[in-house]
Amino acid sequence: MTGTSDLSSVRASYDTVAVDYARLLGTELSGRPLDRGMLSAFAECVRGDGSGGRPVADVGCGPGRVTAHLAGLGVPTFGIDLSPAMVAVARRTYPGLRFDVGAMAALDVADGVLGGVLAWYSTVHTPPAELPALFAEFARVLAPGGHFLIAFKAGDRRVRLDHAYGHPVDLDVYWTPPELIAGLLAAAGLTEVGRLVRQPAEDEAGPQGFLLARKA
C-alpha cells in the first residue's frame, strides 16, 4: 500500500481497519460499472497476451475482493499486501485463493514471470517521488507482453487522513495527474494501452483514474 515511506504507519493503519474496511467495501464494485469494465479489459488483455496463462499479482490487495473478482474473470490471480490483518481477512473470505504478506517495493517474485500486475488504489499512499522505483519493480516481474493496470485518485494534492473506516489512522493520500502516471510508466518500460478518468461517485472526493499499460 506504499512504496518505501512510512511503511510502519501504513501497515498499522490497515491492520486496525481491516475488518471494517472489508465490511464497508465488500460490494463496492457492484455499483461501479466503469471500474468493472477496466478490470474486464485488463483480464482480457492478460488472457490474450500469449503468456501461456501466467499468473497475475494483485499488489496491495487488501481484503481480496478485487483479487477474487479477477479470478472470477478467468485470470489466475494471487494477492500481496503489506498488512497481515488484511491478508488474514482475505484468506478467511476467499480460502481458495492465495494471499501473501509482502511489500510492493520489494516483491518476492522472480523476474519476468507474471502475466499481469494490478495496483488497485494501492499506490495512493506512495509519494510521487517514489513512484518510479515502484513502477520499475512492477515492470521487473512482468513477462514481455504482460499488462499492468493501475487505479488511482486523479488530481494533484496530498490529503491527510487521521480517521477512516471508523478508526484512527495515520495516512497520507496522494492524488496524482494521469499524465504523470503515464510518463512514469513509460520510463519504466510500460507503454500505455488506454486510460479512463471518471467523475466521482457520491462517496468520492474527486475524479478517479485508471490506466492500462503493456510491457514491450
Side-chain angles (χ1 to χ4, degrees):
M1 293 174 177
T2 188
T4 57
S5 290
D6 302 323
L7 287 178
S8 59
S9 64
V10 172
R11 181 188 294 112
S13 294
Y14 279 97
D15 279 347
T16 298
V17 306
V19 172
D20 286 319
Y21 181 105
R23 175 179 58 83
L24 292 169
L25 299 184
T27 60
E28 181 188 37
L29 279 176
S30 65
R32 304 276 165 85
L34 295 178
D35 301 24
R36 297 197 312 274
M38 289 302 295
L39 287 167
S40 294
F42 173 63
E44 185 171 341
C45 287
V46 169
R47 292 195 304 266
D49 68 5
S51 63
R54 292 179 185 269
V56 169
D58 179 6
V59 295
C61 66
R65 72 195 193 284
V66 184
T67 319
H69 184 81
L70 272 183
L73 294 173
V75 176
T77 311
F78 67 99
I80 301 171
D81 201 274
L82 181 67
S83 162
M86 284 287 196
V87 169
V89 171
R91 287 171 175 169
R92 288 196 303 269
T93 308
Y94 308 104
L97 298 177
R98 170 187 160 195
F99 297 96
D100 299 326
V101 177
M104 294 189 303
L107 295 170
D108 186 17
V109 178
D111 294 357
V113 300
L114 298 182
V117 173
L118 173 68
W120 196 257
Y121 292 105
S122 51
T123 65
V124 298
H125 304 305
T126 302
E130 295 180 9
L131 288 175
L134 202 59
F135 292 164
E137 177 69 353
F138 298 159
R140 178 187 68 81
V141 300
L142 274 174
H147 285 80
F148 172 66
L149 175 62
I150 182 171
F152 58 98
K153 297 182 179 297
D156 189 8
R157 56 190 168 119
R158 178 175 66 90
V159 176
R160 181 67 184 164
L161 281 186
D162 298 312
H163 193 272
Y165 312 109
H167 299 272
V169 296
D170 180 15
L171 297 169
D172 287 322
V173 178
Y174 295 90
W175 294 65
T176 313
E179 288 299 335
L180 175 61
I181 295 286
L184 295 178
L185 289 176
L190 301 173
T191 302
E192 180 178 351
V193 174
R195 71 176 78 177
L196 167 70
V197 177
R198 66 163 173 79
Q199 293 305 305
E202 290 183 359
D203 59 341
E204 294 171 330
Q208 308 297 303
F210 308 85
L211 199 149
L212 179 64
R214 182 179 184 270
K215 183 175 178 178

